[in-house]
Short mmCIF file of all heavy atoms in Angstrom, two decimals:
data_model
loop_
_atom_site.label_atom_id
_atom_site.label_comp_id
_atom_site.label_asym_id
_atom_site.label_seq_id
_atom_site.Cartn_x
_atom_site.Cartn_y
_atom_site.Cartn_z
N ARG A 42 18.51 158.15 183.83
CA ARG A 42 19.92 157.89 184.00
C ARG A 42 20.63 159.29 184.10
O ARG A 42 21.64 159.41 184.94
CB ARG A 42 20.50 157.28 182.80
CG ARG A 42 20.11 155.75 182.74
CD ARG A 42 20.77 155.14 181.53
NE ARG A 42 20.47 153.78 181.68
CZ ARG A 42 21.29 152.69 181.43
NH1 ARG A 42 22.58 152.94 181.15
NH2 ARG A 42 20.91 151.44 181.53
N ILE A 43 20.26 160.33 183.37
CA ILE A 43 20.90 161.64 183.50
C ILE A 43 20.66 162.15 184.94
O ILE A 43 21.44 162.73 185.52
CB ILE A 43 20.33 162.51 182.46
CG1 ILE A 43 20.92 162.09 181.02
CG2 ILE A 43 20.74 164.01 182.72
CD1 ILE A 43 20.34 162.81 179.82
N PHE A 44 19.41 162.00 185.42
CA PHE A 44 19.07 162.57 186.75
C PHE A 44 19.86 161.82 187.76
O PHE A 44 20.38 162.49 188.66
CB PHE A 44 17.52 162.33 187.02
CG PHE A 44 17.23 162.88 188.24
CD1 PHE A 44 17.03 164.23 188.53
CD2 PHE A 44 16.90 162.07 189.43
CE1 PHE A 44 16.69 164.77 189.82
CE2 PHE A 44 16.50 162.48 190.63
CZ PHE A 44 16.39 163.90 190.82
N ALA A 45 20.16 160.54 187.66
CA ALA A 45 20.87 159.79 188.52
C ALA A 45 22.46 160.18 188.47
O ALA A 45 23.10 160.30 189.53
CB ALA A 45 20.82 158.30 188.20
N LEU A 46 22.84 160.57 187.31
CA LEU A 46 24.31 161.07 187.20
C LEU A 46 24.48 162.44 187.80
O LEU A 46 25.45 162.73 188.46
CB LEU A 46 24.67 161.04 185.64
CG LEU A 46 24.95 159.76 185.03
CD1 LEU A 46 25.23 160.00 183.56
CD2 LEU A 46 26.22 159.08 185.73
N SER A 47 23.32 163.31 187.74
CA SER A 47 23.44 164.61 188.33
C SER A 47 23.60 164.52 189.82
O SER A 47 24.13 165.43 190.39
CB SER A 47 22.28 165.38 187.87
OG SER A 47 21.00 165.01 188.45
N GLU A 48 23.01 163.51 190.32
CA GLU A 48 23.04 163.34 191.89
C GLU A 48 24.51 162.92 192.28
O GLU A 48 24.77 163.07 193.53
CB GLU A 48 22.07 162.27 192.36
CG GLU A 48 20.65 162.68 192.18
CD GLU A 48 19.66 161.69 192.61
OE1 GLU A 48 20.06 160.45 192.81
OE2 GLU A 48 18.46 162.01 192.72
N MET A 49 25.28 162.45 191.38
CA MET A 49 26.74 162.07 191.64
C MET A 49 27.53 163.23 191.96
O MET A 49 28.50 163.24 192.71
CB MET A 49 27.31 161.26 190.58
CG MET A 49 26.74 159.89 190.47
SD MET A 49 27.44 159.00 189.03
CE MET A 49 29.08 159.23 189.22
N PHE A 50 27.21 164.45 191.38
CA PHE A 50 28.13 165.71 191.54
C PHE A 50 27.48 166.61 192.47
O PHE A 50 26.22 166.77 192.40
CB PHE A 50 28.40 166.29 190.08
CG PHE A 50 28.87 165.37 189.11
CD1 PHE A 50 28.18 164.69 188.24
CD2 PHE A 50 30.31 165.17 189.29
CE1 PHE A 50 28.86 163.81 187.29
CE2 PHE A 50 30.93 164.25 188.30
CZ PHE A 50 30.28 163.60 187.40
N PRO A 51 28.24 167.34 193.19
CA PRO A 51 27.74 168.31 194.07
C PRO A 51 27.18 169.54 193.32
O PRO A 51 27.51 169.78 192.17
CB PRO A 51 28.95 168.78 194.92
CG PRO A 51 30.14 168.23 194.40
CD PRO A 51 29.68 167.18 193.31
N GLU A 52 26.31 170.32 194.03
CA GLU A 52 25.60 171.45 193.49
C GLU A 52 26.58 172.44 192.83
O GLU A 52 26.33 172.85 191.69
CB GLU A 52 24.64 172.07 194.51
CG GLU A 52 23.90 173.28 193.94
CD GLU A 52 22.80 172.77 193.00
OE1 GLU A 52 22.35 171.60 193.18
OE2 GLU A 52 22.35 173.58 192.11
N PRO A 53 27.70 172.96 193.48
CA PRO A 53 28.54 173.86 192.80
C PRO A 53 29.14 173.37 191.54
O PRO A 53 29.29 174.14 190.53
CB PRO A 53 29.71 174.07 193.87
CG PRO A 53 29.05 173.62 195.20
CD PRO A 53 28.11 172.54 194.84
N VAL A 54 29.47 172.06 191.47
CA VAL A 54 30.04 171.55 190.21
C VAL A 54 28.98 171.54 189.07
O VAL A 54 29.29 171.89 187.85
CB VAL A 54 30.60 170.11 190.29
CG1 VAL A 54 31.00 169.42 189.02
CG2 VAL A 54 31.68 170.08 191.36
N ARG A 55 27.78 171.21 189.38
CA ARG A 55 26.65 171.24 188.39
C ARG A 55 26.43 172.64 187.96
O ARG A 55 26.17 172.87 186.70
CB ARG A 55 25.42 170.66 189.05
CG ARG A 55 25.52 169.24 189.16
CD ARG A 55 24.10 168.57 189.49
NE ARG A 55 23.50 169.24 190.69
CZ ARG A 55 23.14 168.60 191.79
NH1 ARG A 55 23.14 167.29 191.81
NH2 ARG A 55 22.57 169.26 192.72
N LYS A 56 26.53 173.65 188.88
CA LYS A 56 26.23 174.99 188.40
C LYS A 56 27.33 175.51 187.55
O LYS A 56 27.08 176.23 186.57
CB LYS A 56 26.02 175.93 189.65
CG LYS A 56 24.81 175.74 190.38
CD LYS A 56 24.49 176.75 191.48
CE LYS A 56 23.22 176.63 192.09
NZ LYS A 56 23.00 177.61 193.22
N THR A 57 28.59 175.13 187.85
CA THR A 57 29.65 175.59 187.03
C THR A 57 29.58 174.91 185.59
O THR A 57 29.84 175.67 184.71
CB THR A 57 31.02 175.30 187.78
OG1 THR A 57 31.03 175.81 189.01
CG2 THR A 57 32.18 175.64 186.89
N ALA A 58 29.24 173.70 185.59
CA ALA A 58 29.18 173.06 184.25
C ALA A 58 28.03 173.65 183.49
O ALA A 58 28.10 173.89 182.28
CB ALA A 58 28.89 171.59 184.54
N SER A 59 26.87 173.89 184.11
CA SER A 59 25.79 174.60 183.48
C SER A 59 26.11 175.95 183.00
O SER A 59 25.82 176.33 181.85
CB SER A 59 24.57 174.71 184.45
OG SER A 59 23.50 175.39 183.79
#
Side-chain angles (χ1 to χ4, degrees):
R42 285 184 180 226
I43 291 173
F44 183 72
L46 283 173
S47 70
E48 291 176 346
M49 289 176 52
F50 299 101
E52 185 71 24
V54 173
R55 289 191 306 235
K56 284 186 177 182
T57 303
S59 177

